[in-house]
Structures are given as C-alpha cells and as structure tokens.
Amino acid sequence: MALAPRLDLRQSQSLVMTPQLQQAIKLLALSSLEIEAFIADEVERNPVLETGSSDAAPDVPTEDFAPALDDSRERASDDLLSGDGQGTSDALDVDFSAETFHHDTPSDSVGGADGMLGLSGSAAPSGFDADAPDFDSFAARDINLREHLMAQAGSTLSGRQLFLVQQIIEHIEPTGYVGEDLMATAHRLGVAMAEMEGALSELQRFDPTGVGARNLSECLAIQAREADRYDPCMAKLIDNLDLVAKGAFDQLKRMCRVDDEDLRDMLIELRGYDPKPGCRFESEDMLAVTPDIFITPRGEGWAIELNSANLPRILINRSYVAELGQDKATKAWLSDCMADANWLIKAMDQRQRTIVKVATEIVKQQDGFFRKGVAHLRPLTLRQVADAIDMHESTVSRVTSNKYLHCGRGLFDLKYFFSSGVQSADGEGASAEAVKSHIKSLIDAEGEKILSDDTLVDLLTAKGFDIARRTVAKYREAMGIGSSVQRRRQKKMGR
C-alpha cells in the first residue's frame, strides 16, 4: 500500500471555555460579600477601574411580575458576556456535567482560597465620609471560654495549683466539659490523682457555674450546690437522669421518697439548669445576612428588584486614560485594561439580570406562598425553573446559591423555595415545607389529647394530603418534635 499525502475536510462541534466565560459563570454563584471582595481586587489590579461615590446608586435591574406578565419584552438573561464588541452574544448557560470545571463550592470562589477581603473595595453605603472613624473598632472584643477561665485562674490561684488548673483549662471543650480524662492528665504531668482532683475542684468554682464537669450529672450537681438545692433527694434525682428521660416518675418518687408535688418542683428546678454552660461564651463571628432581592407587592402582582446596597458601582476612569502617555506600549497596556474593565461591567450587569430573571420565575411558581404563607408552598425543582426560563438547571443552581430574598414574610434563602412534595387532592402536590407547617400546627393545637402519628396521617388525609405514616414521622423528627410518647411525658412533667 503506497503512502501519499491528501487533504480531508472534517466538521465537528466543541465547547470552548474561554477564561472570561469561566469567570462569568463563577460570578453567578458568588454571594454579595464575595462579589464586593472580587470587585475590590479588580479595582486594585486595574488602574482604569474605580468605584462610584456612595450617592451614585448603580443601575439595578428590576422586574414587575403580574399574573399576565409578558416575557417577550425581556432581554435574554443568559447571554455570553463578550468583550469583543459584537452585537450578538452566545449563551452563558453552560452544562458542566462533562467538563472539569466546578463552580459550586466555596473553594472555587473567585480570588483563590485566601478568603474574603471585606468591604474595602466598595463605596461607603451611607453618607459618612470614607475617612470617618470606624466606631465598631472601639467595641470590646468578645472573649472565649478558655480566656475567661484563664483570667479567673490567674487572679485567684498561684504556683503549682495555678499550673495544674491551666493544664485542665487547655482541654476544656466549648460546652464547658473537661475534654481529657483526669487520670490521663495526671499521668501526663506526673502528679498524684488527688492533686489533680483538687485542681479540678478549684476550676469547678469558676464562672460559669457548672464548668469543669466531666459529665452531665456532675454539671447539674455543681449548679444545684451553687443554688443551695443539692439535698439528698435532688442528689438521687440527678444520679438517675436516665429515669428522668424515660419518664419513670413513679419509680423516681419511690427512690427520692417524695410526693408528686415535690417531684414536680425538683424537675422544674432541674430544667432551669444549663446543661452546656460554656456555650454562652462561644465567640464565633456571626455575619449578618443582607438580602440580595426585595419582593414587594405592586398592584395585583409583585415588584422584584436587587438590593442596590450590595452592588458597588463600577466606573471607568477615563481621565486617567487620557493623562497617560501615548506611546505604543502604553496604548497596548491601556487597551488590555479597558477590555478587562468593559468585560467586568458587562459581567456584573449580566449577573444582575440573570438573578432577577430567576427570582421572577420563583415568584411566579410560588405565588401562593407570598400571598398566603408557607402552607401554600408548592414543590419546585431546579429543572422546572430552568425549563421555564430556557436555561440549564446548573445555571439556576449557581444563581440560587448564597442568595437571599426578602419579602413581607421575612428573609429566605432562595434554595428554600425548592423542595420535594407529596401528592394532594387537587393534583398539584404540596411542598414538604407546607406539609411540615400543617403537622406543626396540628401538634401545637393538640392540647391534652396527644396526637399519634397515625392520627396525624388521618387528619392530613382529611385535608387532602396523600401521605404515609413514615413520612409524617420523618417530617416531625426533622422539625425537632418528639413522638407522642415523648410529648405526653413532657406535658406530664410540666404540670
């Protein structure tokens, strides 16, 4: 067989993921705080970018949803953010199921794994000057449990006893319990067990009352002694907490040698103690959640708009461009900076419009919830929303990640509106959250007659829900509600 050169024509299709397209997809999944950090990085990196003044609000896309909403006027929200100046753009909506790119986890957030940079790159949201003092910096720093105990040990103890108490404090858990076996600590330090017991007794006198306990019984006993209620009857009750949990009150009365009234008073006293005294010193930073979307009634429909306070205004500093030299190298560098700046502005605008489009469809699907409450929440999936707005469900998943919606009923994560459901009499089905709401309302109104799971099934069936007993039990446990036996014991204890 002879070898000879020849030309062949082949036609194929492939998905080309440009860096800008990847970045645009990532922007969809970022929270408002992460967006501010990302913009701060870009402003610091790109000299032609700047953030607008606080009195110049960004152009935030809004949408009015009414029962007869016309979607034909709306521009496609999942267009590709192109920076080449073409009049049309390709779809931003991309299915990554066959790709190696993943954008749904915090580790994939823009800017690497260095964490968030705060709000330094955005304009001040209020009328204060940017150089005004930060009054929050003057607030005292919250101390944690370990620091609180160390301060008490340093002020009341000294010498060898101080050292031993400090060693125990090093192994105090956030709940206030001792995390290391006392005998193991004594062996590690090479001291007698009696000496470690004495150091632990000193620690158990510290605030908060109950700290330094090795188990729940010891924690409650310390608090009972502090309240001067640790008599033989209370000691016997605390030593038999397993019977308290089982509701064996007749057996407890015989063991403690008390009547019904005394046992009830002891149980009320016991419930007033803190089983985890160290938790009040938890100093984890709590970030306030700010809504990304506002839903307000307007006429017969709803007005949907983005929170402009979460969106820094991005501008191009054209005076800086004009002042620079006009040599060839400078022009090429400025051209790249301008292209990046124009892309970022377009990407942010496209992100906002995509969020509004997805939120509008969610409001359409869950109109009953916004008008009548959680009992009218419908089962909804990402695919349903994606099909309605002609996007891929992975895009909808990114848009609804780390985004919050504020309406007249409160603040909700966008993922809250997506849930499975059960069959109902009207054929449309009911959301799991709606079923949970009905179960909770029935249990709250049960009074002296405790409702079993079978009874709850009958009552829900009468309301039009086709639900199994195991599903009722699953939803009840998910809400932290005990079984009928546990609720009956609790009511008996609370009499």
Side-chain angles (χ1 to χ4, degrees):
M1 178 178 177
L3 298 178
R6 68 176 185 177
L7 295 176
D8 290 332
L9 294 178
R10 295 182 180 180
Q11 186 177 9
S12 63
Q13 291 182 337
S14 62
L15 177 63
V16 179
M17 289 293 296
T18 64
Q20 287 187 341
L21 178 57
Q22 295 179 38
Q23 195 73 282
I25 295 295
K26 284 183 179 181
L27 289 178
L28 291 176
L30 297 184
S31 65
S32 58
L33 190 60
E34 292 170 326
I35 282 292
E36 292 192 55
F38 172 72
I39 291 176
D41 282 341
E42 289 296 314
V43 170
E44 184 178 359
R45 183 187 63 84
N46 194 335
V48 303
L49 275 176
E50 63 179 5
T51 54
S53 59
S54 58
D55 57 348
D59 297 329
V60 179
T62 61
E63 186 69 55
D64 287 339
F65 161 59
L69 180 66
D70 182 12
D71 290 332
S72 62
R73 299 178 291 103
E74 189 174 351
R75 187 165 67 91
S77 298
D78 51 337
D79 294 339
L80 171 62
L81 308 172
S82 60
D84 54 3
Q86 296 180 359
T88 60
S89 54
D90 300 326
L92 175 63
D93 184 24
V94 177
D95 179 12
F96 288 96
S97 58
E99 300 295 328
T100 58
F101 306 102
H102 302 283
H103 309 285
D104 290 330
T105 61
S107 61
D108 295 321
S109 60
V110 179
D114 295 334
M116 302 178 185
L117 300 180
L119 308 178
S120 59
S122 63
S126 63
F128 292 105
D129 185 76
D131 297 329
D134 182 11
F135 292 101
D136 290 338
S137 63
F138 294 99
R141 183 179 67 88
D142 293 336
I143 63 174
N144 56 34
L145 175 63
R146 190 166 299 173
E147 292 173 341
H148 181 66
L149 296 176
M150 285 292 190
Q152 295 180 76
S155 62
T156 59
L157 303 175
S158 61
R160 185 179 179 87
Q161 194 173 45
L162 173 61
F163 171 76
L164 296 178
V165 170
Q166 288 175 337
Q167 292 301 310
I168 300 176
I169 293 176
E170 288 296 334
H171 295 88
I172 288 290
E173 297 177 346
T175 55
Y177 290 89
V178 178
E180 184 181 46
D181 183 68
L182 203 62
M183 183 173 293
T185 305
H187 179 73
R188 176 171 56 85
L189 298 177
V191 299
M193 186 62 183
E195 197 170 1
M196 289 303 303
E197 290 280 1
L200 181 62
S201 299
E202 290 294 332
L203 175 61
Q204 291 177 349
R205 295 190 179 96
F206 290 176
D207 177 73
T209 304
V211 71
R214 288 163 287 189
N215 51 56
L216 178 60
S217 297
E218 188 175 17
C219 178
L220 298 178
I222 294 171
Q223 297 180 62
R225 291 192 189 96
E226 182 69 20
D228 197 20
R229 288 296 305 271
Y230 195 69
D231 51 33
C233 297
M234 180 63 78
K236 183 67 70 173
L237 180 66
I238 292 177
D239 290 339
N240 294 275
L241 293 178
D242 56 335
L243 297 179
V244 176
K246 294 178 180 179
F249 303 125
D250 293 336
Q251 186 176 352
L252 286 171
K253 285 189 294 183
R254 292 193 298 269
M255 295 176 63
C256 299
R257 298 181 180 180
V258 295
D259 55 17
D260 290 339
E261 184 178 356
D262 290 337
L263 180 61
R264 182 174 65 251
D265 293 341
M266 292 166 62
L267 291 174
I268 293 175
E269 179 75 20
L270 196 64
R271 286 188 296 179
Y273 297 151
D274 189 353
K276 298 179 180 180
C279 289
R280 70 187 71 171
F281 284 89
E282 289 182 341
S283 58
E284 296 181 0
D285 295 334
M286 301 298 292
L287 297 177
V289 175
T290 56
D292 298 274
I293 304 163
F294 289 114
I295 308 296
T296 55
R298 179 174 295 176
E300 296 182 357
W302 305 93
I304 304 162
E305 62 177 335
L306 293 180
N307 184 1
S308 60
N310 289 348
L311 304 172
R313 185 176 178 83
I314 311 172
L315 303 174
I316 295 178
N317 190 344
R318 300 191 181 277
S319 61
Y320 175 82
V321 177
E323 290 175 1
L324 287 182
Q326 297 301 315
D327 58 277
K328 186 176 181 180
T330 303
K331 285 183 178 180
W333 175 71
L334 283 177
S335 177
D336 293 339
C337 292
M338 289 292 293
D340 291 342
N342 286 323
W343 169 84
L344 179 60
I345 293 174
K346 291 181 180 179
M348 289 301 301
D349 177 71
Q350 194 65 42
R351 175 183 180 273
Q352 296 167 19
R353 295 181 183 278
T354 305
I355 293 174
V356 170
K357 187 172 185 179
V358 172
T360 301
E361 184 60 32
I362 291 176
V363 174
K364 286 182 184 180
Q365 298 284 350
Q366 302 291 3
D367 185 67
F369 166 81
F370 293 100
R371 296 184 185 277
K372 301 178 182 179
V374 69
H376 296 270
L377 197 64
R378 296 175 50 192
L380 185 64
T381 63
L382 296 173
R383 180 173 293 277
Q384 287 178 261
V385 174
D387 292 342
I389 60 180
D390 195 21
M391 287 186 181
H392 194 271
E393 59 183 303
S394 63
T395 303
V396 178
S397 176
R398 289 172 176 82
V399 171
T400 54
S401 297
N402 305 313
K403 310 294 189 308
Y404 293 87
L405 177 150
H406 185 272
C407 63
R409 300 192 179 278
L411 184 68
F412 299 91
D413 186 350
L414 285 183
K415 294 290 187 183
Y416 173 81
F417 298 99
F418 297 90
S419 65
S420 59
V422 298
Q423 191 66 32
S424 61
D426 56 10
E428 293 186 359
S431 168
E433 295 296 332
V435 178
K436 289 179 183 179
S437 175
H438 283 286
I439 293 175
K440 187 176 186 305
S441 62
L442 289 172
I443 293 177
D444 290 342
E446 63 186 358
E448 295 297 326
K449 186 178 180 181
I450 305 300
L451 303 177
S452 65
D453 288 345
D454 290 325
T455 306
L456 290 174
V457 170
D458 295 338
L459 294 175
L460 291 171
T461 302
K463 290 188 174 185
F465 298 106
D466 184 10
I467 189 170
R469 180 185 179 278
R470 62 180 179 274
T471 306
V472 171
K474 180 181 71 173
Y475 289 168
R476 173 180 52 74
E477 292 172 358
M479 292 185 291
I481 300 176
S483 64
S484 58
V485 176
Q486 293 172 329
R487 300 200 305 276
R488 189 175 293 109
R489 289 173 181 168
Q490 290 173 357
K491 286 186 178 295
K492 188 176 181 181
M493 291 171 61
R495 288 177 181 174

